[in-house]
Amino acid sequence: MILDRYDALLLDLDGTVYRGTEAVDGAQDAVRAAAEHGVAVRFVTNNASRAPETVATSLRALGVAATAAEVDTSAQAAAAVVADQVEPGSAVLVVGSAALAEEVAALGLRPVRDNAGPVAAVVQGLSKDIGWPDLAEACIAINAGARWVAANTDPTLPTERGLLPGNGSLVAALRAATGAEPVVAGKPEAPLMRAAIEAAGARMPLVVGDRLDTDIAGAVTVGADSMLVLSGVSDAAELLGAPEARRPTYVAADLAGVFGEPDRLAIGEDPRWTVRESGDGLTVSGDGDPIGLLRTLCALAWRMPSAPKALEAHGGPADAALRALGLGERDAIG
């Protein structure tokens, strides 16, 4: 199974291990099994609003075994990036949570919330308490020449109530106001991913996440294999149209996919499904796992040089599988 092939699991949190305040099916068993197989687990999150101990406590409350030492946050990565760019003891304007400010202070820098004195850098992470005054102070500092580091640029945050504004939406406001571009520490950029791999002592890590634009792209950035789980943000339609830099090694319904066989979960043709070209369309027939059909369609779509082709189901099982994937007849791939 997957767990036999890798020495570490780098698990995203929101949409992968949990959604809002609810654990995703199979998450507890997957983490427990990894420990039993001697596979290191790192909880790698782009959310910069919470401290590692707070994250670990929340995971344990959901029945997921976790310690603060196993948590890697974009706040930690962002603070490390800032510390590499400014002198020790420098004032760093924090636009974000107290947890982000604590990470900055832990590296010998001085977190501030305004421009009362010279500011060497601005570090920005998600906080539900951020308001216009915070963005205004950051704007002033950036326009005055302060370095700007963003914990992540996720436009949305998955919750049990649906997608809500993420740090990337607030970064976009500052980008529009200043014309500047931040250095990004979190996924899909390398700093957070490399820190997690180093902390795990991994030589063959597997990144597991629900977002193509952060988790999977981050894995590609550092040259790691990845598994997309369909329990969060990215869906079948997005996966079919994914550019090369956002294509996963494996696809599974949820984190229980780590118990599956690599060859069965890898992108490729599933013998239970047949996809044939028919005029300007593709006819799908067979009877099997809908995600097996999705892997088959991805293998075809990603090598298809021609214009997109509409999907047509031939038979009830094929129609049901397409609909289970959110792909109705006449949706196009390629």
Side-chain angles (χ1 to χ4, degrees):
M1 61 180 170
I2 290 284
L3 286 175
D4 296 324
R5 180 169 289 189
Y6 298 94
D7 60 3
L9 297 180
L10 274 54
L11 305 179
D12 174 58
L13 292 181
D14 296 328
T16 302
V17 176
Y18 57 72
R19 285 187 296 263
T21 58
E22 301 173 358
V24 170
D25 289 343
Q28 299 98 327
D29 292 341
V31 171
R32 186 181 308 114
E36 292 172 353
H37 279 70
V39 177
V41 174
R42 306 298 303 179
F43 299 99
V44 186
T45 176
N46 260 4
N47 190 331
S49 65
R50 298 190 296 168
E53 182 55 52
T54 303
V55 173
T57 299
S58 297
L59 288 168
R60 291 193 296 269
L62 295 174
V64 178
T67 67
E70 294 174 316
V71 176
D72 298 286
T73 74
S74 64
Q76 294 170 308
V81 170
V82 171
D84 284 340
Q85 295 187 356
V86 302
E87 294 296 323
S90 296
V92 177
L93 180 65
V94 176
V95 181
S97 67
L100 177 56
E102 289 169 4
E103 296 294 348
V104 170
L107 295 181
L109 303 172
R110 183 164 55 88
V112 300
R113 295 287 184 173
D114 57 37
N115 287 276
V119 170
V122 172
V123 63
Q124 183 176 7
L126 182 65
S127 169
K128 297 174 183 178
D129 297 324
I130 290 175
W132 185 88
D134 303 295
L135 296 178
E137 290 298 319
C139 184
I140 292 168
I142 294 168
N143 283 335
R147 297 176 183 273
W148 180 21
V149 175
N152 67 79
T153 53
D154 296 8
T156 59
L157 178 71
T159 74
E160 67 275 15
R161 298 177 62 194
L163 296 179
L164 300 179
N167 193 54
S169 296
L170 301 178
V171 167
L174 279 180
R175 186 186 289 118
T178 64
E181 192 68 31
V183 173
V184 180
K187 300 174 284 187
E189 303 305 325
L192 175 57
M193 300 296 285
R194 286 178 178 159
I197 292 170
E198 181 178 350
R203 300 184 66 181
M204 280 290 292
L206 177 70
V207 177
V208 184
D210 69 302
R211 297 187 72 131
L212 295 174
D213 60 343
T214 55
D215 307 313
I216 306 308
V220 173
T221 297
V222 296
D225 285 356
S226 63
M227 177 188 292
L228 176 72
V229 289
L230 300 176
S231 53
V233 175
S234 293
D235 59 14
E238 184 182 352
L239 179 61
L240 286 170
E244 190 171 353
R246 297 183 180 184
R247 294 176 181 173
T249 313
Y250 311 102
V251 180
D254 51 40
L255 197 48
V258 299
F259 297 111
E261 294 301 321
D263 292 344
R264 289 286 299 275
L265 297 178
I267 299 297
E269 296 184 11
D270 186 321
R272 295 169 295 177
W273 295 104
T274 300
V275 182
R276 291 190 175 93
E277 291 195 44
S278 176
D280 293 330
L282 297 171
T283 300
V284 177
S285 61
D287 189 358
D289 175 17
I291 299 183
L293 173 57
L294 177 58
R295 298 185 195 105
T296 299
L297 291 172
C298 285
L300 179 63
W302 294 351
R303 66 173 184 260
M304 188 181 297
S306 56
K309 294 182 179 292
L311 292 171
E312 292 187 31
H314 182 70
D319 178 70
L322 287 176
R323 295 190 183 282
L325 295 170
L327 300 171
E329 285 199 43
R330 300 298 177 182
D331 277 348
I333 70 169

